[in-house]
């Protein structure tokens, strides 16, 4: 699909429910077997966006009022990074916006934020392979390098 103009703006508290819906859509696509609660995603988005002291930033992409995607960032610290660095926490483009430049524009905003914050790195966890090889290819084509898989453990 071709969009006339794609704009990216920081998410505000008023955007919390839409942000939660997009993250819900992302997680539902990644983990279709899980029973997820969209209401929980909306409430969590409200909590995070209302926290003035958090080191979390969310950006929404739109075209002619249609919400096309999101990217969220968090600041982390590590010795190997020399201190502070950025992490892409959530990154989702609606199916109609894929291959239309939406992801690239969102990523450009993340890089600008990283430069503003003076982060030496911007890291991201790619979804499991090979099922999501196009996602990995997107990152590799946008100057990321593979540093190994990221794993999680429920506690």
């Amino acid at each position: 699909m071709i969009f006339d103009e794609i704009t990216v703006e920081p998410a505000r508290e008023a955007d919390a429910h839409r942000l939660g819906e997009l993250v819900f859509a992302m997680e539902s696509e990644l983990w279709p077997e899980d029973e997820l609660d969209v209401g929980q995603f909306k409430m969590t988005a409200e909590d995070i966006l209302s926290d003035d002291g958090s080191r979390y930033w969310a950006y929404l992409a739109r075209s002619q009022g249609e919400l096309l995607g999101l990217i969220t960032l968090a600041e982390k610290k590590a010795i190997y990074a020399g201190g502070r660095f950025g992490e892409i926490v959530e990154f989702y483009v609606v199916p109609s916006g894929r291959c239309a430049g939406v992801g690239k524009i969102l990523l450009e905003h993340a890089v600008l934020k990283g430069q503003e914050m003076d982060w030496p790195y911007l890291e991201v966890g790619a979804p499991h392979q090979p099922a999501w090889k196009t996602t990995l290819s997107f990152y590799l084509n946008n100057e990321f390098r593979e540093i190994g898989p990221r794993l999680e453990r429920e506690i």
Side-chain angles (χ1 to χ4, degrees), residues 135-151:
T135 301
L136 179 60
S137 293
F138 170 82
Y139 289 123
L140 293 174
N141 290 330
N142 283 281
E143 302 180 40
F144 282 79
R145 64 185 171 124
E146 288 187 76
I147 57 173
R150 185 183 345 238
L151 307 170

Side-chain angles (χ1 to χ4, degrees), residues 2 8 18 27 51 55 65-66 73 87-88 93 96 113 122 147 150:
I2 298 174
V8 176
R18 295 302 316 269
E27 289 292 299
D51 182 0
R55 305 300 286 171
E66 181 183 351
L73 308 169
E87 178 184 28
I88 296 172
V93 175
S96 65
K113 183 63 177 181
L122 187 58
I147 57 173
R150 185 183 345 238

